[in-house]
Amino acid sequence: MEVSRRRFLSIGPVGVLGGSALGFDLTESINVKQRLRIEGATLAHSLCPYCAVGCSIIAYTRKAANGRTELLQIEGDPDSPVNEGTLCPKGATSLQLAVSRRRVPQPLYRAPGAAGWTKVSWEFMLDRLARNIKASRDATFVTQDAEGNVVNRCEGIAFAGGAAFSSEEGYLATKLMRGLGLVHLEQQARV
């Protein structure tokens, strides 16, 4: 059978490589590849947790043997008009936010002068945090500036919001920090 240039191009690379003319057939390996990792997974649409652009992502999950939901893969949503299936480097690694082996699952506390960290309860850590914020705010709260103007601000605490903040979390954090009188605020999703 004579193969013209037009016929060769219409077959496409998969057809050419999958054909027996080259001596091997990739059909089976292509089918196996499609069944790997996300076979039988539940598809969920979500938004990237980093900046305020709002890139759509697709998360593939599956129920594990112990009944917990296991996150398998995250990729850009090709149907999104915002990112058209692409993700920036931070968004592409967002899977690590949930499944990293290095993620600390509970609070750790190092007492003054201690050599190491100890596991503590959330109740202990939140109480300690609240007490430290209150003490610092009380010690550094300014009611009037040098010219006698009422300012009511806390100059002893600064707040830096993480890059994983969504716009809504950034808004809430800003409201909370402004309510405490903070003037030194910074975060990626500025409000």
Side-chain angles (χ1 to χ4, degrees), residues 16-47:
V16 170
L17 293 176
S20 59
L22 297 176
F24 54 90
D25 186 2
L26 295 178
T27 308
E28 184 179 345
S29 63
I30 291 170
N31 289 337
V32 168
K33 178 181 155 190
Q34 291 172 348
R35 290 192 312 261
L36 292 177
R37 193 158 174 84
I38 60 173
E39 181 180 22
T42 303
L43 184 139
H45 294 272
S46 188
L47 294 175

Side-chain angles (χ1 to χ4, degrees), residues 42-173:
T42 303
L43 184 139
H45 294 272
S46 188
L47 294 175
C48 178
Y50 286 106
C51 71
V53 171
C55 294
S56 295
I57 60 173
I58 298 174
Y60 295 92
T61 61
R62 180 184 307 139
K63 287 281 188 188
N66 62 4
R68 296 182 62 167
T69 301
E70 178 184 17
L71 182 60
L72 303 173
Q73 180 173 321
I74 291 177
E75 61 187 41
D77 186 351
D79 295 331
S80 169
V82 175
N83 57 318
E84 298 177 335
T86 61
L87 293 173
C88 72
K90 286 184 356 182
T93 61
S94 61
L95 178 69
Q96 294 176 11
L97 286 172
V99 298
S100 174
R101 292 187 323 262
R102 296 173 53 192
R103 184 175 180 175
V104 179
Q106 70 182 78
L108 299 174
Y109 174 70
R110 187 170 67 185
W117 296 88
T118 57
K119 294 179 180 178
V120 295
S121 69
W122 282 102
E123 183 178 338
F124 171 85
M125 189 55 69
L126 291 174
D127 183 61
R128 177 115 179 132
L129 181 64
R131 289 178 190 276
N132 287 346
I133 289 173
K134 172 95 169 80
S136 181
R137 183 178 183 271
D138 290 347
T140 61
F141 196 79
V142 177
T143 55
Q144 293 184 346
D145 63 9
E147 297 172 4
N149 299 317
V150 176
V151 290
N152 290 334
R153 63 183 178 219
C154 176
E155 297 178 346
I157 303 173
F159 177 79
F165 265 19
S166 67
S167 295
E168 292 78 12
E169 290 167 326
Y171 178 81
L172 179 63

